[in-house]
Amino acid sequence: MLRLAPDSRNRLLDAALKVIRTKGYSATRVEEICAAAGLSKGSFFHHFESKEALAVAAAEYWSQITGELFLAAKYHTLDDPLARLLAYLDFRRSLVRGELPEWTCLVGTMAQETYTTVPEIREACDRSIRGHADTLVADITAAKKRYAPDADWSPKSLALHTQVVLQGAFVVAKAHGDARVATDAIDHLRRYFELLFPIPRTHSKSKKKRKKKSR
């Protein structure tokens, strides 16, 4: 999922993504990030004035590389907006593989630890989570118009709800030590979407009528 970066700044950011998702923000030391990147502390402080500054940059970097991953995903090629949304959830489920730190969220991890202690990091994490949610709004809007025009919820609120479920799933999966917690949560979220957007059955009914007439 994560690409290897050739320059020293991005090598430090790649290392931060790996170490923080494994140990958490508070337990991560600058020395560990440098060791993981194969660089000196001098190189670290050339690019970042503090661990906090690195975390803010890491949240932005996370948004960039995950944004590229989702932008290239095949669900965007589907014609129907609801099909795209369901395929998005299927894609999210497919990413839950390997060890826990490999598929859990950097910004969700940091937000939990810093929301009262380091406002700059919390705000960077919030921008990242809301920014990803915003990428779903257009498809949700189109699906709502087609399948649930009278629903009294907003596409923006549903888009953010998807991230609430996913982030919660990651937390409970960590607590339980089992990835199935996350995949089950995504499956439930997918079923919830299907309930929110009831697909008209007129097409299937017309087929049945034609069959009866042919008899």
Side-chain angles (χ1 to χ4, degrees), residues 24-62:
Y25 173 76
S26 299
T28 295
R29 295 180 296 115
V30 168
E31 292 82 358
E32 292 173 296
I33 293 172
C34 292
L39 296 167
S40 67
K41 287 181 71 175
S43 180
F44 178 94
F45 287 109
H46 173 74
H47 294 292
F48 308 103
E49 63 180 20
S50 64
K51 177 183 165 184
E52 290 80 8
L54 167 73
V56 171
E60 295 169 354
Y61 185 62
W62 175 258

Side-chain angles (χ1 to χ4, degrees), residues 70-127:
F70 284 98
L71 189 61
K74 292 182 179 179
Y75 63 85
H76 294 290
T77 64
L78 300 174
D79 293 330
D80 184 85
L82 178 56
R84 290 196 295 271
L85 291 169
L86 296 177
Y88 161 79
L89 294 174
D90 293 338
F91 183 61
R92 292 302 305 244
R93 194 185 195 282
S94 74
L95 296 177
V96 181
R97 61 180 185 269
E99 299 298 319
L100 279 164
E102 296 178 54
W103 51 265
T104 49
C105 182
L106 172 84
V107 293
T109 297
M110 293 199 300
Q112 292 169 60
E113 296 186 57
T114 64
Y115 73 98
T116 60
T117 55
V118 192
E120 295 81 5
I121 298 176
R122 178 193 63 76
E123 291 166 3
C125 294
D126 184 52
R127 286 193 299 271

Side-chain angles (χ1 to χ4, degrees), residues 14 36 53 78 102 111 119 136 171-172 186 192-193 197-198 201:
D14 281 328
L78 300 174
E102 296 178 54
L136 303 176
V171 172
V172 180
I186 296 170
Y192 177 62
F193 264 68
F197 301 101
R201 299 187 180 277

Side-chain angles (χ1 to χ4, degrees), residues 202-215:
T202 53
H203 182 63
S204 60
K205 286 181 179 178
S206 63
K207 276 187 175 181
K208 289 180 181 178
K209 288 180 180 178
R210 285 197 296 272
K211 286 182 179 178
K212 286 181 180 179
K213 287 180 180 180
S214 64
R215 291 174 187 172

